Amino acid sequence: MPIDTSPATGSLPARAPLAALPGEPVLDVVIPVFNEEKDLGPCVRQLHEHLTRTFPYAFRITIADNASTDRTPEVAGALAASLDGVRGIRLEEKGRGRALRTVWSRSEAPVLAYMDVDLSTDLNALLPLVAPLISGHSDLAIGTRLARSSRVVRGAKREFVSRAYNLILRSSLAARFSDAQCGFKAIRREVAERLLPLVEDSGWFFDTELLVLAERAGLRIHEVPVDWVDDPDSTVHLVRTATEDLKGVWRVGRALAVGALPLDRLARPFGDDPRDRQLPGVPRGLARQLLGFCVVGVLSTLGYLALYTLFRLGTGAQTANAAALLLSAIANTAANRRLTFGVRGRDRALRHQAQGLLVFGIGLALTAGSLAALSAATDRPAHGTELAVLITANLAATVLRFLLFRAWVFPERRIPHPKDTR
């Protein structure tokens, strides 16, 4: 499925508690199934009874049949006919992600969830899962089997695969959520409308990709510790699933690295972020930008000094300084663009680098002038003296660089507050 790169059309409304509408479900729980004629009936009846007894709003259970070849469609039809709030949808192609995308895209319920048909997760976690979405506190919610308070019963092989997979996500995609594979998740519908067009996978990697994109966009992910008893009769093929997941990790990681995903459309999509409010006398984001700039500056200075020392072995001080400063300036601009000022994607990247090189010219003039002054004062300055002079000149250039970056290279584009549009 191609990624939709069209521009966002306005911001989402402010995240707020959901109001139940008469006759309309607040929650739509999707159960993706493939050849589950044996387990489908007991699962749906148990879930229906639990929601009827404990859930305070109207709900719906949607059975998403992934091209089953057994009696699963007939069982789903019988359940829909005998239980209020149960419906079945038939898909002619397999894929858990395809099933979830199809149902979630068509559902009018404000909260969308899914769970596996084997009911491995204790249903008492369902209300804590969706409550933060109903109240307006969070955007997505996931069950986690890896929290300290979770109680999990499963084999050593599945335990190892799960923890290894989440370790891969943390190391390769910098994911901070704890459990990507737990089949127990929920999302607000307006968030799904923005995220689903960006998710390519239609299989088991679908919800992992969804979570990575949501986290990178700064959306709130609520985690609920769950009690989990593994299904020994699960039909999931571990090796094939793991292979497809690793391919998905590589694809998403590459897209994030080159800025191919338009995550800017998801950044702060709601109108209730206090960071978007203009306070008298308080420049927005100044403290965070200063911290990020200092961290990048320290790393750039270390890299610059290392390059200068390396180049100085085979060339003069001025040439070594210019080459080291040029390379470190390009890296510094790229790092500050993304980490300090939050600019992502390829838009205006070359322009930013060109402006950064002009700022680099100012730094070059300061450091070159300092070296010239040192050479005029003494014929053969010690290497340590050269470094001390360069550090001092770089500190002065750094202050000026930050001011120019903030005011000229990466000027703040004010996000209008909802009150401003009234």
Side-chain angles (χ1 to χ4, degrees):
M1 176 180 177
I3 297 177
D4 176 17
T5 57
S6 58
T9 55
S11 299
L12 292 174
R15 192 193 297 114
L18 300 175
L21 299 177
E24 295 292 336
V26 170
L27 172 67
D28 192 348
V29 183
V30 183
I31 304 176
V33 291
F34 173 73
N35 289 349
E36 297 287 355
E37 62 180 4
K38 177 181 177 181
D39 294 334
L40 181 57
C43 162
V44 171
R45 290 190 182 91
Q46 184 178 347
L47 175 60
H48 188 274
E49 187 277 331
H50 178 83
L51 288 172
T52 302
R53 178 170 46 85
T54 64
F55 194 67
Y57 303 103
F59 65 87
R60 180 168 61 219
I61 300 173
T62 300
I63 304 167
D65 175 24
N66 288 277
S68 293
T69 57
D70 63 358
R71 294 187 58 256
T72 296
E74 289 82 355
V75 175
L79 291 168
S82 61
L83 297 174
D84 291 335
V86 176
R87 67 170 179 170
I89 292 180
R90 168 76 175 181
L91 288 87
E92 298 304 326
E93 294 182 85
K94 291 179 62 177
R96 182 178 68 173
R98 179 177 289 105
L100 294 177
R101 186 199 312 278
T102 300
V103 177
W104 284 356
S105 298
R106 298 175 183 175
S107 180
E108 73 281 5
V111 176
L112 311 168
Y114 92 89
M115 63 175 55
D116 293 333
V117 69
D118 54 20
L119 291 185
S120 294
T121 305
D122 183 3
L123 292 178
N124 287 322
L126 183 56
L127 186 55
L129 182 81
V130 301
L133 309 187
I134 294 174
S135 70
H137 177 270
S138 299
D139 306 310
L140 300 90
I142 65 173
T144 175
R145 299 160 295 184
L146 302 181
R148 290 184 179 274
S149 55
S150 299
R151 297 165 185 155
V152 178
V153 178
R154 60 177 170 176
K157 182 170 70 173
R158 287 184 177 271
E159 180 77 13
F160 172 78
V161 169
S162 179
R163 291 187 178 274
Y165 179 63
N166 284 282
L167 180 61
I168 290 173
L169 291 181
R170 286 176 177 269
S171 59
S172 61
L173 299 180
R176 294 188 298 274
F177 48 85
S178 65
D179 191 351
Q181 293 178 312
C182 182
F184 193 68
K185 297 181 175 71
I187 186 172
R188 284 175 67 107
R189 184 186 67 207
E190 70 267 26
V191 178
E193 288 172 351
R194 289 293 181 95
L195 279 175
L196 290 179
L198 304 180
V199 180
E200 288 190 48
D201 193 80
S202 59
W204 291 97
F205 187 69
F206 170 87
D207 40 354
T208 299
E209 186 173 355
L210 187 79
L211 288 173
V212 170
L213 298 183
E215 188 174 73
R216 287 300 185 99
L219 302 183
R220 283 183 174 173
I221 301 176
H222 177 70
E223 296 200 5
V224 178
V226 298
D227 295 345
W228 176 280
V229 179
D230 204 9
D231 179 12
D233 298 324
S234 174
T235 58
V236 177
H237 193 286
L238 286 180
V239 175
R240 182 167 58 244
T241 301
T243 302
E244 293 301 318
D245 285 346
L246 291 177
K247 291 180 180 178
V249 169
W250 168 255
R251 174 176 53 79
V252 172
R254 183 177 56 184
L256 291 172
V258 301
L261 294 171
L263 296 180
D264 55 324
R265 80 173 64 178
L266 298 172
R268 307 238 275 270
F270 300 98
D272 62 343
D273 195 320
R275 295 171 295 178
D276 293 336
R277 301 170 191 167
Q278 190 73 35
L279 300 179
V282 180
R284 291 196 300 123
L286 178 59
R288 180 188 60 80
Q289 289 178 355
L290 275 173
L291 178 60
F293 185 81
C294 288
V295 172
V296 172
V298 169
L299 296 176
S300 296
T301 300
L302 293 175
Y304 160 76
L305 293 175
L307 288 171
Y308 175 81
T309 301
L310 178 64
F311 294 153
R312 190 67 176 86
L313 297 176
T315 187
Q318 293 288 7
T319 303
N321 173 65
L325 198 58
L326 175 62
L327 293 177
S328 61
I330 293 174
N332 181 281
T333 300
N336 275 307
R337 181 178 187 269
R338 180 176 181 84
L339 302 177
T340 303
F341 298 97
V343 180
R344 290 176 170 79
R346 299 177 181 177
D347 184 36
R348 299 186 297 173
L350 291 178
R351 176 184 173 183
H352 290 157
Q353 279 292 351
Q355 291 173 306
L357 288 177
L358 290 177
V359 176
F360 148 76
I362 297 174
L364 178 60
L366 283 172
T367 53
S370 300
L371 283 174
L374 180 62
S375 297
T378 177
D379 291 336
R380 292 191 177 186
H383 182 64
T385 304
E386 281 187 353
L387 291 181
V389 169
L390 288 173
I391 290 173
T392 303
N394 264 295
L395 287 176
T398 296
V399 175
L400 184 58
R401 188 183 305 124
F402 176 75
L403 296 176
L404 288 174
F405 272 178
R406 182 176 171 84
W408 179 50
V409 183
F410 307 110
E412 187 173 13
R413 290 179 294 176
R414 185 173 183 270
I415 301 174
H417 193 268
K419 292 182 180 179
D420 299 338
T421 61
R422 293 177 184 174

